[in-house]
Amino acid sequence: MTAYKKIDDSDFQAIRALIGDDDRVLTGGSIHEDYSHDELGGTQCWPDVVVRVSSTEDVSAVMKYAFNNNIPVTPRGAGTGLVGSCVPVEGGIVIETTLLNRFIELDEENLTITVEPGVLLMELAAYVEERGFFYPPDPGEKSATIGGNISTNAGGMRAVKYGVTRDYVRGLEVVLPNGAVVELGGKVVKNSSGYALKDLMVGSEGTLGIVTKATLKLLPLPARSISLLVPFPSLEKAIGAAPLIIKSKAVPTAIEFMQREVIIDAEEYLGRKFPDNQADAYLLLKFDGATDAEIEKDYDNVAEICLQQGALDVLISDTEERNDSIWKARGAFLEAIKGSTTYMDEVDVVVPRSSVNTLLEYIHGIQQIASIRIKTFGHAGDGNLHIYILKDELSDEEWKEKMSLAMELIYSKARELNGQVSGEHGIGFAKKPYLAESLDPDLLEIMRGIKSAFDPKNILNPHKIC
Ligand SMILES: Cc1cc2nc3c(=O)[nH]c(=O)nc-3n(C[C@H](O)[C@H](O)[C@H](O)COP(=O)(O)OP(=O)(O)OC[C@H]3O[C@@H](n4cnc5c(N)ncnc54)[C@H](O)[C@@H]3O)c2cc1C
């Protein structure tokens, strides 16, 4: 166990002097409760000081001070994480990046954009789309920061066709735990120059360094897109269609699955009706491309596969209004489920696409074994399920016992199916025991070795990942 220095008045004064703007250094009662947790709220610890950085120099100076004085530091973006990864478990300093939010350069020759980490995903998407470019990663929470997305290797709904955040990070400027500023990668398209430290930084949940600039790869904006909403008589049939769609070599942008009970939650949450109510289970697919002809070929083929698999209908959505009502409902699922119970915890496992049905069937059984309600939705196209275990009216004691049992069962089944603990939300604090259980002990030791090579004093986001 690392013994950290407890922050005192002399540290507050020193940090204020480094930043030179008292409004950006929050202490005591000026620290909002939000800084003590993330979006799922299960892990709660207060920082001693929050520094709202606005330059790389701010980050470097605070980090150097923390390193020399053995004070723990936790980076934080918008706090929309779901595994407690931005929670300062040891107190100390929170470095919050939302003021570090400038667009630095759109490079049309190299098809890259360079931004600071506090730029929000929705701001980045709007900025590049207005100029005819496309940043494909599309995680559900658009108010997350790009720094947070990079640090969790955020996935999202377009992963089936376009991949995840790591696939779009070309270069990073990073402040290391000792305060040194380094560049990883760059604008180059290829790079075989030693270990892939830039790729290691992506998804490291603020445990190896603090991202202060990112150069991201862009694509030309697809001119056309279309969504298919496909009602099925059962979830099993809906999920069963996904691997067949992949096998057909059609390349949808997204294949999502959804169930009526979650759609009803979303209707209540949004106060508006979903455009179809004939089925208990749906696949929602999206196709995009340069021309109508290019996408028509793909979606005709996929519609045929769905009908052969027993789909009740194939509803084509090509107007902005209809697309909006379907995708808004999909985007609201997490918040809607949260609003339907007193408290919940989540599992974000990923399994091979062909095993999604086996896992879902098993989860259905767990509701009986652990006598607890579970709701699911997720990315049928990439095997990443979002599984929500609901507390409802259970006492705290019952909840702990039943939730732990349900989690253990789900993670061990995912392991048996050659799955991984997290598809996109990360490990943070909440999923650490499950990663430790699922990894080969040799690999866990290598991960710990990597952490100590970057951060020998273990001051950057301690108690996270491994
Ligand atoms: C409704 C909802 C839907 C969601 N949907 C998705 C989804 O579809 N896909 C998905 O992947 N996630 C999803 N998420 C989870 C969350 O939005 C992502 O994990 C997001 O990437 C977190 O970004 P943030 O800015 O909020 O980071 P935070 O929560 O503030 O931090 C997350 C982690 O990143 C680190 N970090 C933040 N900024 C930096 C930095 N500059 N340098 C180093 N480390 C840093 C923190 O220390 C922490 O470990 C969803 C969350 C919600 C609430």
Side-chain angles (χ1 to χ4, degrees), residues 242-264:
L244 299 176
I245 294 169
I246 301 293
K247 196 175 163 194
S248 78
K249 302 193 177 67
V251 191
T253 314
I255 313 178
E256 299 289 302
F257 74 89
M258 46 179 86
Q259 278 178 288
R260 173 126 299 275
E261 57 173 1
V262 179
I263 293 172
I264 293 170

Side-chain angles (χ1 to χ4, degrees), residues 10 35 42 45 71 116 174 209 235 287 310 342 375 398 425 464:
S10 68
Y35 287 111
C45 302
I71 298 171
E116 290 182 334
V174 172
L235 186 61
F287 297 85
T342 52
K375 289 187 182 177
E398 284 173 313
H425 295 162
K464 308 295 164 59

Side-chain angles (χ1 to χ4, degrees), residues 82-85 152 203 205 348 411 420-436 438 447 463-466:
L82 299 168
V83 291
S85 55
T152 56
E205 300 185 50
D348 156 54
Y411 283 114
Q420 299 287 337
V421 174
S422 170
E424 57 183 17
H425 295 162
I427 300 301
F429 186 69
K431 307 303 176 201
K432 230 176 112 169
Y434 304 110
L435 182 71
S438 83
M447 283 200 185
H463 304 294
K464 308 295 164 59
I465 303 184
C466 58

Side-chain angles (χ1 to χ4, degrees), residues 39 75 77-81 85 139-140 144-145 148-149 151-152 154-155 205-206 211 424-425:
E39 195 57 36
T80 70
S85 55
T145 63
N149 279 183
S151 304
T152 56
E205 300 185 50
V211 175
E424 57 183 17
H425 295 162

Side-chain angles (χ1 to χ4, degrees), residues 103 106 113 115 119-138 142 146 158 218 221:
F103 286 84
L106 174 65
I113 186 160
V115 295
V119 168
L120 305 184
L121 174 63
M122 61 188 168
E123 294 169 343
L124 176 68
Y127 184 93
V128 298
E129 283 172 28
E130 273 164 24
R131 291 158 179 82
F133 297 103
F134 183 43
Y135 176 67
D138 187 35
K142 315 299 180 212
I146 290 301
R158 298 191 190 119
L218 300 176
L221 184 64

Side-chain angles (χ1 to χ4, degrees), residues 50-63:
V50 175
V51 185
R52 305 195 67 207
V53 290
S54 73
S55 66
T56 301
E57 291 70 30
D58 281 354
V59 179
S60 171
V62 172
M63 215 49 250

Side-chain angles (χ1 to χ4, degrees), residues 110 138 163 234 369 412 450 452:
N110 284 301
D138 187 35
S234 69
I369 299 170
S412 66
I450 290 169
S452 83

